[in-house]
Amino acid sequence: MNKIIYTLLIFSASVSMANAPKVGKNAAAKYFQAKGVASESDAENVDRHPSSIDSLGDQEHYLAVGIGSFTQTDSYNWGQSTKEEDVGKFGIDMTYRLAQEGYLFDRALRVSYNEFKAAGERATKLSFMYAATLPDAGSKFPLYFGLAAGPGVFLKQLSGESALSLDYQLFLGLRLFNLFEKTGFYVEGGMRNHLHLTTDGQLNGTFISAGAVFTF
């Protein structure tokens, strides 16, 4: 009986020693090497899939496409010598981020298509503007402020009125990048004005728009 007990004790001790964690320099080296490989792999995954959904890197670009409407417009000397209200109808905007200027703001190209009804006639215009938005898209701050200015070309204009205009905008918006993979959302509002270059007509208006933001 005692021999059986001694045999069981010896067998149990052997199993415990076999399952004991390995220690020493070699074991420690293997442990830290495995952790290092995992860390590098994790770092690569972080680079491929950024954790932030509301910002971009300084080398990334975005394309924002949206549709909006004028909320209030006043025209002066456009087809008639008096002031006219509710001239602006709707618009389509496309904004492409060109580059980040240091850590201050983003430079972008903004193309806008707008429709109007002045003096009872329909007019359409395409604007090409250089825009600056503050803060830059990499700041992780969802609110932004911007201004844009550039030439406007009337695709359809009232008889006797200028086919060219100087367009300028001031806007404030909210943008969220990469809500669904590379697609986000923005909403924006502000001032949208233009001055006729060869005649004395002008438009002062406010607008609101919303759309999608695509990053690449």
Side-chain angles (χ1 to χ4, degrees):
M1 187 69 177
N2 291 334
K3 290 183 178 181
I4 295 174
I5 294 174
Y6 291 147
T7 301
L8 291 175
L9 289 174
I10 293 172
F11 177 76
S12 176
S14 300
V15 172
S16 300
M17 292 178 64
N19 293 330
K22 297 181 180 181
V23 296
K25 292 183 179 180
N26 292 336
K30 290 181 180 179
Y31 173 78
F32 286 110
Q33 183 178 5
K35 291 295 288 183
V37 171
S39 297
E40 291 176 1
S41 176
D42 292 343
E44 291 178 0
N45 290 332
V46 169
D47 292 338
R48 292 173 187 160
H49 306 285
S51 59
S52 175
I53 65 171
D54 56 358
S55 65
L56 296 183
D58 57 1
Q59 300 300 320
E60 291 184 276
H61 299 276
Y62 68 75
L63 179 66
V65 180
I67 186 170
S69 175
F70 285 93
T71 57
Q72 186 272 333
T73 50
D74 296 324
S75 68
Y76 302 89
N77 301 320
W78 190 2
Q80 56 186 24
S81 59
T82 59
K83 173 184 174 182
E84 187 176 5
E85 298 180 352
D86 298 327
V87 173
K89 299 307 176 184
F90 77 94
I92 300 173
D93 296 314
M94 181 186 72
T95 304
Y96 174 67
R97 183 198 195 197
L98 298 173
Q100 177 179 318
E101 192 66 32
Y103 294 96
L104 297 177
F105 61 90
D106 290 328
R107 295 185 288 111
L109 172 67
R110 172 169 289 206
V111 180
S112 295
Y113 170 83
N114 292 281
E115 288 201 0
F116 312 91
K117 190 172 183 180
E121 297 184 40
R122 177 173 172 266
T124 61
K125 179 168 59 72
L126 198 60
S127 306
F128 303 89
M129 293 171 287
Y130 179 88
T133 59
L134 181 74
D136 62 276
S139 67
K140 301 184 180 182
F141 194 68
L143 295 177
Y144 66 94
F145 168 81
L147 55 89
V153 180
F154 281 92
L155 306 178
K156 180 178 174 55
Q157 175 62 298
L158 280 64
S159 177
E161 293 290 342
S162 174
L164 299 176
S165 65
L166 173 63
D167 293 24
Y168 57 98
Q169 299 180 8
L170 297 174
F171 48 88
L172 175 68
L174 168 70
R175 61 190 176 193
L176 297 173
F177 296 107
N178 305 333
L179 290 176
F180 179 74
E181 294 184 352
K182 292 291 186 178
T183 303
F185 169 81
Y186 84 94
V187 61
E188 183 179 284
M191 297 171 51
R192 183 169 296 188
N193 305 339
H194 74 238
L195 300 172
H196 295 176
L197 292 181
T198 60
T199 57
D200 57 356
Q202 72 177 71
L203 176 93
N204 298 333
T206 57
F207 76 98
I208 186 169
S209 64
V213 186
F214 307 96
T215 62
F216 49 92

